[in-house]
Amino acid sequence: MKNLKIIGLFILAVAGLSSCEDDDNLIYTAQTPSENVAFTSTFLNEYVLTDETKANVAERFVWNSPDFGIATPNVYDLQGSATEDFAEVLELGSTPNNNKAVTVEEMLELATIAGLDNDPSTADMPNTGVLYFRVRAYVGDGAENAPESFSEVTALNVVLPEDTGAGSGIEMSSWGIVGSAANDWGATPDIPFYTTETPDVIVSYANLIAGEIKFRENNTWGGDLGDATLDGILDADPDNNIVIAEAGSYKVTINLSDNSYTIEEYFWGIVGSAAPNGWDGPNVKLAYDYNTDTFKAVVQLIDGEMKVRMNDKWDTSYGDGNLDGVLDTDADNNIAVTAGYYLLTVNFNTLEYTLEETTIWGLVGSATPNGWDGPDTKFTPDFANPGVWTIDSIDLVDGEIKVRANDAWDTSYGDLESDGILDTENDNNISVVAGTYKVTIDFSDEASPTIVIE
């Protein structure tokens, strides 16, 4: 009996091993899905593609998940083509996710393949056309004979606005703001006014301190205007200085046809978890660039979200709910960003904007507030004079300084010869004595950048 029991146990063990071997050799075969992959996005009637917005997301394509009958994640290839038959395919990227963003720059590349451009001199190349998109779904490496699914082809209408070669049409006016609230009564050039689309109406975006101002032409006295009676009409009367009660950023508008004027608090800024001061502010202010009739700011951002708002208040704020490069007031329209150094440009006439990675110059060294380790004291670009960057006021101690980009030593400058010409030579630290300084660097001539410390 004992031997029979042992034999029985042996048979059961062999059967168990055989069963395990069968499990190990099971083969799962992917099947052609019963439902093809398909776009679920809602597309625009027309996509406007410009070089100025090339860093923006033109469209985020979203699709469903076809079932290949196997517990393996699907892979998706988003494809574009200049023709509906996809005779030539532009691969726009692979992803395991159910969506893929396509930038304006990628659409412009496809538009070039389609023979589109925005040059009015090339009449044989239209600036409007159709681009085609589809998504391919598959499992594994998508090798030959692997089950796959293609969406139906989606046709998108695109427009490349003609490049007229013209600037903004805005010019610097001969008028400026002078006074204790502006420039210490002419110690520096007057704060400029700019022309507008309305004849005889000029505007200035001015950072003022508490004090007094007047308006004059060509930085000279004679014919200067103020408001003695405080009635909103400029005059040349004695004692007509205009009082600025509180420091701030102001929009000053003058109608030269009737000498009426207004002064109102006005500035745009960046706020959010990605911004230096979080959601509570104060905001990073944008500066006016009359060359493009836009507002701009350079800013270091962290991973998070941001919005653009006016006057540090929520009365007027913008985001980009559909990520089309146009600001809106939709719900849930925070703009998600990743950490980096950026140039934000906003056209408040059209609400178009761009957020592009850029270089931000800073001052570093033993004489600066944060020493050699930084973060650097950042320069502010003069958008009216490309290449010129300024720190209006910085307190330095006895020590040395250098200029570098984006808080890193990849690109840095000193001044070995102490001749005001920045260089990359060894032992070129710039020695300074304690004091409060204005520092200006000029990279308009990249071969011979300069520095002025005053």
Side-chain angles (χ1 to χ4, degrees), residues 162-182:
E162 287 190 355
D163 182 7
T164 62
S168 67
I170 305 299
E171 297 178 352
M172 190 177 293
S173 168
S174 58
W175 286 88
I177 304 174
V178 65
S180 60

Side-chain angles (χ1 to χ4, degrees), residues 282-362:
N283 299 354
V284 176
K285 292 182 179 180
L286 280 66
Y288 182 64
D289 177 10
Y290 82 95
N291 295 298
T292 57
D293 195 22
T294 60
F295 285 80
K296 298 179 177 180
V298 292
V299 60
Q300 181 181 359
L301 300 174
I302 61 175
D303 292 341
E305 297 178 320
M306 57 167 271
K307 297 184 80 165
V308 177
R309 67 176 181 175
M310 182 188 287
N311 298 342
D312 276 345
K313 300 173 183 176
W314 289 112
D315 300 347
T316 305
S317 67
Y318 292 104
D320 186 7
N322 56 7
L323 298 177
D324 63 350
V326 180
L327 295 175
D328 56 59
T329 56
D330 298 344
D332 301 322
N333 63 349
N334 294 346
I335 303 169
V337 297
T338 56
Y341 298 83
Y342 292 93
L343 168 65
L344 173 67
T345 302
V346 183
N347 183 335
F348 285 103
N349 301 309
T350 64
L351 293 183
E352 292 178 296
Y353 78 98
T354 59
L355 187 64
E356 305 171 273
E357 290 190 77
T358 192
T359 294
I360 301 178
W361 295 102

Side-chain angles (χ1 to χ4, degrees), residues 26-33 66-74 138-140 147:
L26 286 176
I27 298 175
Y28 297 90
T29 303
Q31 304 169 1
T32 301
D67 183 6
F68 286 93
I70 185 171
T72 300
N74 295 347
Y138 56 92
V139 293

Side-chain angles (χ1 to χ4, degrees), residues 128-401:
T128 62
V130 179
L131 304 179
Y132 301 93
F133 299 88
R134 70 183 183 187
V135 62
R136 175 195 178 213
Y138 56 92
V139 293
D141 59 5
E144 188 176 357
N145 297 324
E148 61 183 5
S149 172
F150 284 93
S151 71
E152 292 185 358
V153 173
T154 293
L156 300 185
N157 299 311
V158 297
V159 177
L160 284 63
E162 287 190 355
D163 182 7
T164 62
S168 67
I170 305 299
E171 297 178 352
M172 190 177 293
S173 168
S174 58
W175 286 88
I177 304 174
V178 65
S180 60
N183 61 348
D184 194 17
W185 292 112
T188 59
D190 298 353
I191 298 174
F193 280 87
Y194 303 100
T195 62
T196 67
E197 294 181 351
T198 305
D200 293 326
V201 175
I202 57 177
V203 64
S204 179
Y205 302 97
N207 294 318
L208 303 174
I209 61 175
E212 298 178 321
I213 62 171
K214 297 183 75 169
F215 309 118
R216 64 178 183 173
E217 279 195 281
N218 301 317
N219 292 273
T220 59
W221 293 108
D224 47 281
L225 300 175
D227 187 5
T229 58
L230 300 178
D231 61 354
I233 303 298
L234 295 174
D235 56 60
D237 298 345
D239 302 320
N240 62 352
N241 294 347
I242 301 169
V243 175
I244 301 299
E246 185 177 348
S249 298
Y250 295 90
K251 179 181 180 180
V252 184
T253 306
I254 299 177
N255 188 332
L256 296 172
S257 64
D258 60 10
N259 278 356
S260 61
Y261 77 99
T262 58
I263 301 175
E264 57 186 316
E265 182 185 24
Y266 183 93
F267 67 90
W268 291 97
I270 304 167
V271 67
S273 60
N277 298 318
W279 283 112
D280 295 328
N283 299 354
V284 176
K285 292 182 179 180
L286 280 66
Y288 182 64
D289 177 10
Y290 82 95
N291 295 298
T292 57
D293 195 22
T294 60
F295 285 80
K296 298 179 177 180
V298 292
V299 60
Q300 181 181 359
L301 300 174
I302 61 175
D303 292 341
E305 297 178 320
M306 57 167 271
K307 297 184 80 165
V308 177
R309 67 176 181 175
M310 182 188 287
N311 298 342
D312 276 345
K313 300 173 183 176
W314 289 112
D315 300 347
T316 305
S317 67
Y318 292 104
D320 186 7
N322 56 7
L323 298 177
D324 63 350
V326 180
L327 295 175
D328 56 59
T329 56
D330 298 344
D332 301 322
N333 63 349
N334 294 346
I335 303 169
V337 297
T338 56
Y341 298 83
Y342 292 93
L343 168 65
L344 173 67
T345 302
V346 183
N347 183 335
F348 285 103
N349 301 309
T350 64
L351 293 183
E352 292 178 296
Y353 78 98
T354 59
L355 187 64
E356 305 171 273
E357 290 190 77
T358 192
T359 294
I360 301 178
W361 295 102
L363 204 63
V364 67
S366 59
T368 65
N370 297 319
W372 284 111
D373 295 328
D376 304 351
T377 302
K378 302 300 189 297
F379 288 86
T380 300
D382 181 351
F383 294 114
N385 296 287
V388 177
W389 299 67
T390 303
I391 298 175
D392 283 327
S393 179
I394 182 172
D395 293 327
L396 300 176
V397 299
D398 292 342
E400 297 178 320
I401 59 173

Side-chain angles (χ1 to χ4, degrees), residues 85-138:
D85 62 1
F86 277 73
E88 183 178 351
V89 175
L90 178 64
E91 296 289 350
L92 297 168
S94 296
T95 177
N97 302 315
N98 289 79
N99 68 88
K100 179 76 173 66
V102 174
T103 64
V104 171
E105 186 172 19
E106 289 172 315
M107 279 204 182
L108 283 170
E109 180 183 355
L110 190 55
T112 300
I113 296 173
L116 308 179
D117 77 7
N118 64 344
D119 186 350
S121 66
T122 55
D124 59 325
M125 298 181 68
N127 70 319
T128 62
V130 179
L131 304 179
Y132 301 93
F133 299 88
R134 70 183 183 187
V135 62
R136 175 195 178 213
Y138 56 92

Side-chain angles (χ1 to χ4, degrees), residues 388-447:
V388 177
W389 299 67
T390 303
I391 298 175
D392 283 327
S393 179
I394 182 172
D395 293 327
L396 300 176
V397 299
D398 292 342
E400 297 178 320
I401 59 173
K402 294 188 80 167
V403 175
R404 66 176 181 172
N406 294 352
D407 294 297
W409 289 111
D410 301 342
T411 306
S412 66
Y413 289 90
D415 185 4
L416 182 64
E417 303 296 332
S418 299
D419 57 359
I421 307 298
L422 292 173
D423 58 61
T424 57
E425 305 296 333
N426 294 327
D427 303 319
N428 63 349
N429 295 348
I430 302 169
S431 296
V432 296
V433 297
T436 301
Y437 293 90
K438 176 181 179 180
V439 184
T440 303
I441 55 176
D442 186 348
F443 280 86
S444 57
D445 180 359
E446 293 184 0

